[in-house]
Amino acid sequence: MSVRILALVGSLRAGSTNRQLAEAAVKVAPEGAEVSLYEGLADIPFYNEDVDVEGSVPASAARLREAAQAADAFLLVSPEYNGTIPAVLKNAIDWLSRPYGAGAFSGKPVAVVGTAFGQFGGVWAQDEARKSVGIAGGKVLEDVKLSIPGSLTRFAETHPADDAEVAAQLAEVVARLHGHAGESAAA
């Protein structure tokens, strides 16, 4: 059985090192795990309960929910914006948290990783993402973490997939997420 892992990237910038980190996750995924990057977070309007009713859900939000429902696990890849989670990633979590108690994250394993320019690699944002997705119903893997500091210099001329240390650490994260997703499916 193949495990489908949906990667949500909290940066919209074309040259984002966090997007590159997600691309690296696709490359290092173990056999039996399929990591796919969700495209289209920029198109989803801010969550609004007034439009989250049958017949009014924006098509972009419905596509996100459909992709998330089909996923067995999630990899959230978050930079840190002003000490916290980027709005685009928080918005995706909000849309996927509904309907209350039965959102797409419900009971599915979630790992959070990321890179940032600062010396701590975005841990505050990643901690906020873990908190938010946990409240949204995800089974947060608190011991599966990867925060890479100094992103602008470390990845200035090297893609994360070509950084042996980062690729190995990321492969371990994806393998552990894959394992937890397999356990959840078997339960």
Side-chain angles (χ1 to χ4, degrees):
M1 176 186 105
S2 181
V3 171
R4 297 171 310 251
I5 300 170
L6 185 62
L8 303 176
V9 180
S11 175
L12 301 177
R13 192 171 60 82
S16 164
T17 54
N18 281 281
R19 180 173 179 80
Q20 291 174 0
L21 193 61
E23 293 167 354
V26 172
K27 292 181 182 179
V28 302
E31 187 174 327
E34 175 191 332
V35 178
S36 61
L37 273 68
Y38 186 80
E39 303 290 348
L41 291 184
D43 302 327
I44 302 168
F46 284 116
Y47 184 78
N48 178 344
E49 228 172 331
D50 291 340
V51 298
D52 190 11
V53 294
E54 193 171 330
S56 296
V57 175
S60 56
R63 281 191 298 276
L64 172 64
R65 283 180 171 164
E66 184 177 301
Q69 285 293 348
D72 300 305
F74 297 90
L75 179 66
L76 305 186
V77 186
S78 184
E80 188 169 276
Y81 291 174
N82 299 310
T84 194
I85 185 174
V88 68
L89 186 56
K90 177 62 169 75
N91 189 49
I93 293 169
D94 290 345
W95 277 103
L96 295 176
S97 72
R98 301 292 194 273
Y100 181 76
F105 288 122
S106 191
K108 295 179 183 178
V110 181
V112 181
V113 300
T115 185
F117 181 65
Q119 66 180 337
F120 301 112
V123 294
W124 290 345
Q126 293 157 32
D127 286 345
E128 289 293 318
R130 284 183 196 91
K131 180 177 88 174
S132 186
V133 77
I135 292 169
K139 181 180 165 186
V140 177
L141 307 180
E142 293 289 347
D143 62 334
V144 179
K145 299 178 179 182
L146 178 59
S147 300
I148 305 161
S151 60
L152 296 180
T153 53
R154 182 163 191 162
F155 302 125
E157 296 180 23
T158 304
H159 191 285
D162 298 325
D163 181 313
E165 179 185 18
V166 169
Q169 292 171 331
L170 191 56
E172 175 66 19
V173 165
V174 176
R176 291 184 65 198
L177 182 57
H178 172 255
H180 281 278
E183 290 170 13
S184 292

